[in-house]
Amino acid sequence: MADFKETDLYEPIRAFLEEEGYQVQAEVKNCDIAAVKDGQLLIVELKKAFSLKLVYQGLERQSLTEQVFVAIPRPKKGAREKSWKDMLKLLKRLELGLLTVALDSPLKTVDVVLEPSDSLAWKNRKKRERVKAEMENRQMDVNVGGMTRRKIITVFREKSIRLACLLEKEGQVSMASLRERGMGDYVGLLSRNYDKWFQRVEKGVYALSEKGKEALEKDDYAKTVAFYRNEKFE
């Protein structure tokens, strides 16, 4: 089981949820997997083995939705083990759902071992809406649930890359021209310039900085950069 990684669980669970009619995204506001169907938010946290850290993550996600699952690879001995029965008892008490993935099988099937109960935990509506807004505003799906030591492509990062690709192509752009193109929500990226990817040429006009050029060559952004370099900007 030690050979498996959290990311190995992602694709089977994603396919399973999409077959159930969910829109699925990875790494949304610290959630490994967030999925929406008919306005209902579902969250899955991934680990290569059951642990208290996984339980803590599941409990934290209950502030967003009742539909919280934890997911692990299917154990070799399963229900015969006392530790497995104890784990199920704990998850039931905490009202968390459980998914297992048969990573030891070529089919990699997903089993719903436990359904989450309606949690009594207090729900944070603003947090839930931020998760859903992040999902809705992403144009690309390049993250993998459970990934570590790689940069997550958030809505902010995706927009920054898109703007950087535009500047790379055109040399410089003005805030006024962005508004004319219907990209008024990108103007703030230039003025705030959190990552120093852009440099002011003159009032209201910006070009790509050296730091921005270096960012476009990073492996973590390769798929997103390739997509937006091919975009035809009107």
Side-chain angles (χ1 to χ4, degrees):
M1 204 63 69
D3 294 332
F4 300 137
K5 305 184 294 295
E6 282 88 352
T7 50
D8 295 329
L9 299 165
Y10 175 65
E11 286 300 338
I13 292 176
R14 173 180 175 168
F16 171 78
L17 291 173
E18 287 180 342
E19 285 178 6
E20 294 293 318
Y22 284 91
Q23 174 199 351
V24 182
Q25 288 273 0
E27 298 298 338
V28 181
K29 297 293 183 182
N30 298 321
C31 303
D32 287 341
I33 297 177
V36 173
K37 177 182 176 183
D38 299 330
Q40 174 66 52
L41 176 65
L42 179 149
I43 291 172
V44 185
E45 290 297 330
L46 312 174
K47 280 288 180 290
K48 60 184 179 181
F50 183 74
S51 66
L52 281 179
K53 184 176 180 180
L54 180 60
V55 171
Y56 295 151
Q57 287 177 326
L59 292 175
E60 175 67 21
R61 303 303 175 249
Q62 284 180 333
S63 67
L64 304 173
T65 178
E66 292 87 358
Q67 296 297 305
V68 178
F69 287 86
V70 295
I72 58 175
R74 180 178 68 182
K76 292 180 180 178
K77 297 182 181 178
R80 296 194 301 274
E81 292 288 295
K82 184 178 183 299
S83 59
W84 175 260
K85 294 177 181 178
D86 290 342
M87 178 190 70
L88 294 183
K89 187 183 297 184
L90 174 63
L91 293 176
K92 283 179 183 178
R93 179 67 61 89
L94 298 175
E95 302 170 331
L96 292 167
L98 174 65
L99 302 176
T100 60
V101 183
L103 293 181
D104 53 353
S105 164
L107 296 178
K108 294 181 172 56
T109 53
V110 176
D111 289 321
V112 181
V113 180
L114 282 179
E115 290 276 3
S117 304
D118 288 340
S119 173
L120 299 176
W122 178 74
K123 304 297 179 298
N124 188 317
R125 183 177 60 82
K126 287 185 178 179
K127 275 180 154 183
R128 180 173 63 242
E129 293 308 314
R130 283 199 289 267
V131 170
K132 292 168 78 171
E134 174 75 22
M135 294 180 68
E136 290 167 1
N137 286 301
R138 288 185 184 180
Q139 301 302 309
M140 299 187 67
D141 183 12
V142 295
N143 298 312
V144 175
M147 67 185 191
T148 57
R149 294 188 289 275
R150 289 191 59 190
K151 294 186 181 296
I152 295 170
I153 307 298
T154 61
V155 171
F156 167 78
R157 181 63 61 218
E158 186 178 328
K159 284 186 172 181
S160 297
I161 291 171
R162 186 186 186 204
L163 184 55
C165 289
L166 173 61
L167 287 166
E168 181 185 57
K169 187 175 291 188
E170 299 191 2
Q172 59 186 44
V173 294
S174 67
M175 292 181 171
S177 70
L178 287 177
R179 293 188 182 98
E180 290 169 3
R181 298 174 198 232
M183 297 173 67
D185 54 335
Y186 286 74
V187 168
L189 295 178
L190 292 176
S191 59
R192 291 188 289 271
N193 198 13
Y194 292 126
D195 295 323
K196 309 302 180 190
W197 286 12
F198 316 113
Q199 62 184 24
R200 187 172 180 266
V201 177
E202 57 185 84
K203 186 176 180 180
V205 179
Y206 287 79
L208 191 61
S209 69
E210 286 303 316
K211 192 169 183 181
K213 292 174 184 176
E214 291 171 4
L216 292 183
E217 302 306 318
K218 289 185 176 180
D219 290 341
D220 288 343
Y221 303 147
K223 288 183 180 178
T224 309
V225 169
F227 178 84
Y228 284 117
R229 274 177 172 163
N230 290 325
E231 183 180 14
K232 292 186 170 138
F233 294 94
E234 296 297 332

